[in-house]
Amino acid sequence: MHNLGILLSGRGSNFEAIAKNVAAGHIPNACIAVVISNKAEAGGLEIAQRLGLTTFVVPSKGKEREQHDREVVALLKDHEVDLVCLAGYMRLLSPWFVQQFPHRILNIHPSLLPAFPGLEAQQQAFAYGVKVAGCTVHFVDEELDHGAIIVQKTVPVLDGDDEHTLAERILEQEHIAYSEAINIVLEGNYDVAGRRLVRKVTAR
Ligand code: GRF
């Protein structure tokens, strides 16, 4: 059984999509061991509590980054988490945190990286005038929105779009992409060469 640990700061729709897929058996042999938020008011916490999951708030305000990370990592280890999923977690992880879970921390970003890292990626893409937008699930390394890419999904930008309609359609794809990426990583049937994740061909 794989224990997932979810870190979030807000709404929690990506977490909810993962939880539904776990419950439906679409992410086999996995359970959500713990949900941790750095914000007490995060909507994702309510969803987690409604689902009967174990939740913690670890406030980050006023704490040194690594001190906060040490508290979070202690909880993840207490709950024997083997894959950490950042789902709208609005904190950059310290290098120390990243080293605790090598190639075992995933993040989702609402753009086709390396385009538009950072905040409000959908708005950045819309304002830039791109014709194709999308989302990326990637491994977390020491740099923001940077590690090797696991899954990307594209979304066409329509003439009638505004930044909100575009963000909504990207979010639908995020909800599909994250569980796909988790399955790829949990199956473990891949190599990472440099930045390239390549799935191994399995003999039938
Ligand atoms: C998503 O757009 C995700 O890509 C980004 O933060 C947002 C979180 O939304 N990292 P939600 O909390 O999962 O609804």
Side-chain angles (χ1 to χ4, degrees):
M1 181 62 84
H2 302 285
N3 285 342
L4 308 182
I6 307 278
L7 301 190
L8 52 78
S9 305
R11 180 177 57 180
S13 72
N14 275 288
F15 149 62
E16 188 171 22
I18 294 167
K20 279 191 181 149
N21 281 328
V22 168
H26 299 320
I27 305 179
N29 300 319
C31 68
I32 297 179
V34 65
V35 178
I36 303 172
S37 173
N38 65 319
K39 303 268 183 203
E41 67 278 15
L45 283 174
E46 269 173 50
I47 298 171
Q49 282 152 7
R50 186 161 29 84
L51 295 174
L53 297 172
T54 305
T55 62
F56 291 92
V57 178
V58 182
S60 49
K61 215 174 172 184
K63 265 180 220 156
E64 294 273 330
R65 184 176 307 282
E66 199 175 303
Q67 173 54 35
H68 179 253
D69 283 357
R70 282 183 186 276
E71 292 172 28
V72 172
V73 167
L75 285 171
L76 294 171
K77 295 205 164 160
D78 281 354
H79 292 81
E80 300 182 351
V81 165
D82 40 45
L83 186 67
V84 181
C85 300
L86 310 187
Y89 187 59
M90 304 303 283
R91 300 269 304 162
L92 186 62
L93 303 190
S94 62
W96 178 81
F97 190 147
V98 175
Q99 285 153 19
Q100 303 309 301
F101 293 94
H103 273 125
R104 287 275 135 182
I105 310 175
L106 311 188
N107 181 44
I108 186 153
H109 184 74
S111 78
L112 295 172
L113 289 171
F116 312 118
L119 293 175
E120 304 196 333
Q122 310 94 323
Q123 289 86 333
Q124 291 185 54
F126 183 77
Y128 197 91
V130 298
K131 299 298 185 199
V132 181
C135 62
T136 304
V137 185
H138 63 93
F139 288 111
V140 172
D141 65 10
E142 280 85 354
E143 289 176 54
L144 180 68
D145 300 331
H146 180 266
I149 292 170
I150 306 163
V151 169
Q152 289 188 307
K153 300 271 179 205
T154 58
V155 173
V157 183
L158 307 178
D159 288 341
D161 267 334
D162 59 31
E163 55 188 46
H164 304 293
T165 58
L166 177 61
E168 270 170 34
R169 292 209 317 290
I170 293 173
L171 191 63
E172 283 171 19
Q173 294 304 309
E174 292 184 41
H175 294 166
I176 299 166
Y178 215 149
S179 294
E180 268 186 40
I182 291 170
N183 274 323
I184 290 170
V185 173
L186 293 183
E187 281 165 19
N189 197 24
Y190 61 89
D191 289 314
V192 183
R195 292 195 47 86
R196 275 175 55 73
L197 180 145
V198 181
R199 299 179 76 180
K200 292 182 198 162
V201 181
T202 43
R204 288 181 187 251

